[in-house]
mmCIF file of all heavy atoms in Angstrom:
data_model
loop_
_atom_site.group_PDB
_atom_site.id
_atom_site.type_symbol
_atom_site.label_atom_id
_atom_site.label_comp_id
_atom_site.label_asym_id
_atom_site.label_seq_id
_atom_site.Cartn_x
_atom_site.Cartn_y
_atom_site.Cartn_z
ATOM 1 N N ALA A 305 5.936 -4.959 -10.292
ATOM 2 C CA ALA A 305 6.320 -5.241 -11.672
ATOM 3 C C ALA A 305 7.574 -4.475 -12.085
ATOM 4 O O ALA A 305 8.381 -4.972 -12.881
ATOM 5 C CB ALA A 305 5.169 -4.896 -12.613
ATOM 6 N N SER A 374 -0.811 -0.441 -16.826
ATOM 7 C CA SER A 374 -2.043 -0.656 -16.065
ATOM 8 C C SER A 374 -1.853 -1.806 -15.080
ATOM 9 O O SER A 374 -0.944 -2.631 -15.215
ATOM 10 C CB SER A 374 -3.196 -0.973 -17.014
ATOM 11 O OG SER A 374 -3.063 -2.283 -17.531
ATOM 12 N N PRO A 375 -2.734 -1.900 -14.065
ATOM 13 C CA PRO A 375 -2.624 -3.025 -13.137
ATOM 14 C C PRO A 375 -2.677 -4.391 -13.812
ATOM 15 O O PRO A 375 -1.877 -5.269 -13.495
ATOM 16 C CB PRO A 375 -3.818 -2.808 -12.204
ATOM 17 C CG PRO A 375 -4.031 -1.330 -12.210
ATOM 18 C CD PRO A 375 -3.727 -0.904 -13.622
ATOM 19 N N VAL A 376 -3.604 -4.584 -14.752
ATOM 20 C CA VAL A 376 -3.720 -5.892 -15.379
ATOM 21 C C VAL A 376 -2.506 -6.203 -16.260
ATOM 22 O O VAL A 376 -2.144 -7.372 -16.441
ATOM 23 C CB VAL A 376 -5.036 -5.993 -16.172
ATOM 24 C CG1 VAL A 376 -4.975 -5.202 -17.481
ATOM 25 C CG2 VAL A 376 -5.416 -7.443 -16.434
ATOM 26 N N GLU A 377 -1.847 -5.176 -16.782
ATOM 27 C CA GLU A 377 -0.606 -5.378 -17.530
ATOM 28 C C GLU A 377 0.573 -5.641 -16.602
ATOM 29 O O GLU A 377 1.554 -6.281 -16.996
ATOM 30 C CB GLU A 377 -0.307 -4.151 -18.394
ATOM 31 C CG GLU A 377 -1.278 -3.932 -19.538
ATOM 32 C CD GLU A 377 -1.095 -2.578 -20.200
ATOM 33 O OE1 GLU A 377 -0.727 -1.594 -19.503
ATOM 34 O OE2 GLU A 377 -1.321 -2.483 -21.420
ATOM 35 N N SER A 378 0.479 -5.155 -15.382
ATOM 36 C CA SER A 378 1.572 -5.315 -14.416
ATOM 37 C C SER A 378 1.622 -6.716 -13.825
ATOM 38 O O SER A 378 2.705 -7.256 -13.557
ATOM 39 C CB SER A 378 1.414 -4.298 -13.277
ATOM 40 O OG SER A 378 1.434 -2.976 -13.749
ATOM 41 N N VAL A 379 0.443 -7.306 -13.590
ATOM 42 C CA VAL A 379 0.363 -8.558 -12.845
ATOM 43 C C VAL A 379 1.227 -9.674 -13.435
ATOM 44 O O VAL A 379 1.922 -10.377 -12.684
ATOM 45 C CB VAL A 379 -1.115 -8.989 -12.711
ATOM 46 C CG1 VAL A 379 -1.230 -10.450 -12.307
ATOM 47 C CG2 VAL A 379 -1.824 -8.108 -11.691
ATOM 48 N N PRO A 380 1.257 -9.907 -14.750
ATOM 49 C CA PRO A 380 2.088 -11.000 -15.264
ATOM 50 C C PRO A 380 3.579 -10.810 -15.004
ATOM 51 O O PRO A 380 4.335 -11.784 -15.038
ATOM 52 C CB PRO A 380 1.795 -10.987 -16.776
ATOM 53 C CG PRO A 380 0.477 -10.308 -16.911
ATOM 54 C CD PRO A 380 0.456 -9.278 -15.820
ATOM 55 N N ARG A 381 4.001 -9.581 -14.731
ATOM 56 C CA ARG A 381 5.417 -9.296 -14.504
ATOM 57 C C ARG A 381 5.828 -9.458 -13.043
ATOM 58 O O ARG A 381 7.005 -9.292 -12.720
ATOM 59 C CB ARG A 381 5.735 -7.872 -14.963
ATOM 60 C CG ARG A 381 5.298 -7.570 -16.389
ATOM 61 C CD ARG A 381 5.767 -6.207 -16.837
ATOM 62 N NE ARG A 381 5.236 -5.850 -18.158
ATOM 63 C CZ ARG A 381 5.692 -4.857 -18.903
ATOM 64 N NH1 ARG A 381 6.683 -4.108 -18.446
ATOM 65 N NH2 ARG A 381 5.162 -4.600 -20.084
ATOM 66 N N ILE A 382 4.880 -9.761 -12.167
ATOM 67 C CA ILE A 382 5.185 -9.841 -10.740
ATOM 68 C C ILE A 382 5.780 -11.190 -10.360
ATOM 69 O O ILE A 382 6.627 -11.268 -9.463
ATOM 70 C CB ILE A 382 3.905 -9.554 -9.923
ATOM 71 C CG1 ILE A 382 3.484 -8.104 -10.123
ATOM 72 C CG2 ILE A 382 4.120 -9.846 -8.451
ATOM 73 C CD1 ILE A 382 2.173 -7.735 -9.461
ATOM 74 N N ALA A 383 5.362 -12.262 -10.999
ATOM 75 C CA ALA A 383 5.872 -13.595 -10.676
ATOM 76 C C ALA A 383 7.393 -13.616 -10.757
ATOM 77 O O ALA A 383 7.980 -12.952 -11.617
ATOM 78 C CB ALA A 383 5.276 -14.622 -11.642
ATOM 79 N N PRO A 384 8.059 -14.343 -9.856
ATOM 80 C CA PRO A 384 7.516 -15.298 -8.876
ATOM 81 C C PRO A 384 7.198 -14.694 -7.500
ATOM 82 O O PRO A 384 6.978 -15.438 -6.557
ATOM 83 C CB PRO A 384 8.657 -16.308 -8.743
ATOM 84 C CG PRO A 384 9.894 -15.467 -8.892
ATOM 85 C CD PRO A 384 9.534 -14.421 -9.928
ATOM 86 N N LEU A 387 1.638 -13.091 -4.614
ATOM 87 C CA LEU A 387 0.642 -12.048 -4.829
ATOM 88 C C LEU A 387 -0.711 -12.496 -4.291
ATOM 89 O O LEU A 387 -1.169 -13.598 -4.596
ATOM 90 C CB LEU A 387 0.523 -11.741 -6.326
ATOM 91 C CG LEU A 387 -0.621 -10.824 -6.775
ATOM 92 C CD1 LEU A 387 -0.512 -9.446 -6.144
ATOM 93 C CD2 LEU A 387 -0.651 -10.716 -8.305
ATOM 94 N N LEU A 406 -7.555 -9.458 -12.895
ATOM 95 C CA LEU A 406 -6.202 -9.476 -12.332
ATOM 96 C C LEU A 406 -5.744 -10.907 -12.058
ATOM 97 O O LEU A 406 -4.614 -11.283 -12.387
ATOM 98 C CB LEU A 406 -6.161 -8.654 -11.037
ATOM 99 C CG LEU A 406 -6.395 -7.154 -11.174
ATOM 100 C CD1 LEU A 406 -6.508 -6.497 -9.801
ATOM 101 C CD2 LEU A 406 -5.274 -6.492 -11.976
ATOM 102 N N ALA A 408 -6.815 -13.653 -13.462
ATOM 103 C CA ALA A 408 -6.613 -14.362 -14.733
ATOM 104 C C ALA A 408 -5.288 -13.982 -15.366
ATOM 105 O O ALA A 408 -4.590 -14.823 -15.933
ATOM 106 C CB ALA A 408 -7.767 -14.065 -15.681
ATOM 107 N N ALA A 409 -4.925 -12.699 -15.254
ATOM 108 C CA ALA A 409 -3.658 -12.246 -15.827
ATOM 109 C C ALA A 409 -2.465 -12.857 -15.103
ATOM 110 O O ALA A 409 -1.382 -13.003 -15.684
ATOM 111 C CB ALA A 409 -3.572 -10.719 -15.772
ATOM 112 N N ALA A 410 -2.650 -13.219 -13.835
ATOM 113 C CA ALA A 410 -1.565 -13.827 -13.057
ATOM 114 C C ALA A 410 -1.307 -15.274 -13.454
ATOM 115 O O ALA A 410 -0.269 -15.842 -13.093
ATOM 116 C CB ALA A 410 -1.877 -13.747 -11.575
ATOM 117 N N GLN A 411 -2.258 -15.897 -14.161
ATOM 118 C CA GLN A 411 -2.111 -17.268 -14.648
ATOM 119 C C GLN A 411 -1.769 -18.239 -13.512
ATOM 120 O O GLN A 411 -0.752 -18.930 -13.532
ATOM 121 C CB GLN A 411 -1.044 -17.340 -15.748
ATOM 122 C CG GLN A 411 -1.399 -16.521 -16.975
ATOM 123 C CD GLN A 411 -0.355 -16.597 -18.068
ATOM 124 O OE1 GLN A 411 0.777 -17.024 -17.829
ATOM 125 N NE2 GLN A 411 -0.714 -16.189 -19.257
ATOM 126 N N HIS A 413 -0.707 -17.709 -10.627
ATOM 127 C CA HIS A 413 0.354 -17.317 -9.697
ATOM 128 C C HIS A 413 -0.213 -16.638 -8.458
ATOM 129 O O HIS A 413 0.372 -16.727 -7.372
ATOM 130 C CB HIS A 413 1.343 -16.375 -10.401
ATOM 131 C CG HIS A 413 2.330 -15.764 -9.467
ATOM 132 N ND1 HIS A 413 3.289 -16.497 -8.804
ATOM 133 C CD2 HIS A 413 2.491 -14.479 -9.043
ATOM 134 C CE1 HIS A 413 4.005 -15.694 -8.041
ATOM 135 N NE2 HIS A 413 3.541 -14.472 -8.157
#
Side-chain angles (χ1 to χ4, degrees):
S374 73
V376 75
E377 292 169 327
S378 300
V379 164
R381 307 186 186 194
I382 293 175
L387 171 61
L406 294 173
Q411 298 180 344
H413 171 66

